[in-house]
Amino acid sequence: MTPAEKANRLLELHHGTSPLVLINAWDAASAAMVEHCGLPAVATSSAAVANALGYPDGQYVPWPEMLAAISRIARAVSVPVTADIEAGFAADAHDATQLESSIQQVIDSGAVGVNLEDALPAQADPNVRHSSPLYPLPEQVERIQAARRAAEKLNIHLVINARVDAYWQAGVEPGVALRNTLERGQAYLKAGVDCVFIPGLRSPDHIRTVVNHLRAVHRDGPVNILAGPGVPSIPELAKLGVKRVSYGSGPHRAAMGLLRRMADEAKTSGTYTALTEGAVPYEEINGLFGK
């Protein structure tokens, strides 16, 4: 597929009868394995990519290194790739023109979709989760519009997944988070995004409310939920009307958990159970890549 065809395919996947499930990758091998397992698209995880490159999450990765990682992932697969670019990696977080440049570069790297979040990166504390306030709503709308303009210049319908961090704000009551999510999600859809991503949203009642509200704004208003503890299962999310389920940095952290168990076993019993149980054969993983 051409980049434009991949972008259109990725958009179509948000409007299927079942949710688009994204097992987020962090390098070429993890992306190739996701495709090998039959998933129709690949997403990157900013946190997983950052950690794999030796940086904390929160736009601490130098942008050229993030671009290079996205490019390697896109080259490793034939399915559409959507890249988590946090708040856009613009040198000035408030400069929409610089964001346009970031968007053009990420499309040139081979991605046809992006996550664009509304938490300010400059004030993030790498040791405190979700420590940043949100962009003022009018400013985030302007940034979304800038991202859309950048893609249109390249004749690509970039699939913009707008992240709303209202449920990840420290000290915010669930009812307030819901109101903020509804307001921001509606504004983002009107600004031209294709999906609204709400990490931290777990309550089935709140999910149903968000889905129904956003459907009234834009087609079926695709909603993206982050998989994890306390989140309804994928079949349950489908019944609630969710159209996209992301695994985020979970797969990378699960892989690190396996590595830790392997190391612990080596230090204790000296056996190889963690090493061998479920391991992908050498020939299979090696065969995912051409010469």
Side-chain angles (χ1 to χ4, degrees):
M1 292 185 285
T2 66
E5 290 170 339
K6 286 184 177 180
N8 291 337
R9 175 58 181 153
L10 181 60
L11 182 60
E12 289 172 0
L13 291 168
H14 288 74
H15 299 279
T17 56
S18 58
L20 168 61
V21 177
L22 295 167
I23 310 295
N24 298 66
W26 59 92
D27 61 9
S30 56
M33 181 54 68
V34 168
E35 181 183 36
H36 180 60
C37 291
L39 278 80
V42 168
T44 72
S45 160
S46 64
V49 170
N51 294 165
L53 293 174
Y55 299 93
D57 190 24
Q59 293 197 176
Y60 289 93
V61 181
W63 179 233
E65 290 191 46
M66 178 62 80
L67 274 177
I70 294 169
S71 180
R72 286 191 294 271
I73 287 169
R75 289 198 308 268
V77 298
S78 60
V79 297
V81 171
T82 179
D84 182 351
I85 59 168
E86 302 187 57
F89 282 83
D92 181 343
H94 302 276
D95 191 333
T97 301
Q98 292 184 10
L99 176 59
E100 285 191 49
S101 175
S102 293
I103 292 296
Q104 291 171 350
Q105 290 174 315
V106 82
I107 292 173
D108 289 341
S109 77
V112 294
V114 294
N115 275 13
L116 188 63
E117 62 189 56
D118 60 1
L120 284 157
Q123 301 177 45
D125 181 344
N127 299 311
V128 181
R129 292 192 71 188
H130 322 313
S131 58
S132 291
L134 304 184
Y135 279 95
L137 181 54
E139 195 170 313
Q140 184 65 1
V141 166
E142 180 183 351
R143 297 174 75 252
I144 288 167
Q145 293 170 336
R148 178 60 68 210
R149 286 194 303 270
E152 288 175 346
K153 290 177 183 177
L154 298 176
N155 296 314
I156 296 287
H157 183 92
L158 181 73
V159 178
I160 301 176
N161 189 37
R163 199 172 102 175
V164 180
D165 273 17
Y167 279 87
W168 269 358
Q169 291 291 287
V172 175
E173 295 293 327
V176 175
L178 175 60
R179 289 194 296 272
N180 289 343
T181 296
L182 295 178
E183 179 186 23
R184 285 177 174 265
Q186 176 175 307
Y188 297 168
L189 285 169
K190 288 182 177 178
V193 306
D194 301 290
C195 189
V196 177
F197 180 27
I198 313 156
L201 175 55
R202 296 181 176 86
S203 162
D205 288 341
H206 280 207
I207 293 172
R208 185 181 296 107
T209 297
V210 171
V211 167
N212 291 339
H213 180 86
L214 296 185
R215 274 179 175 169
V217 177
H218 177 70
R219 287 185 284 180
D220 61 347
V223 169
N224 183 185
I225 296 296
L226 180 65
V231 176
S233 67
I234 293 172
E236 291 170 329
L237 290 174
K239 290 178 182 178
L240 292 168
V242 171
K243 290 295 186 179
R244 173 168 164 167
V245 181
S246 301
Y247 276 55
S249 63
H252 179 253
R253 289 183 287 107
M256 293 302 101
L258 173 59
L259 187 61
R260 180 166 59 187
R261 292 193 298 275
M262 198 181 304
D264 288 342
E265 184 182 6
K267 292 188 300 180
T268 54
S269 65
T271 52
Y272 312 113
T273 303
L275 173 67
T276 57
E277 280 191 352
V280 177
Y282 171 88
E283 293 79 11
E284 184 177 353
I285 190 71
N286 207 45
L288 299 179
F289 304 98
K291 295 181 180 179

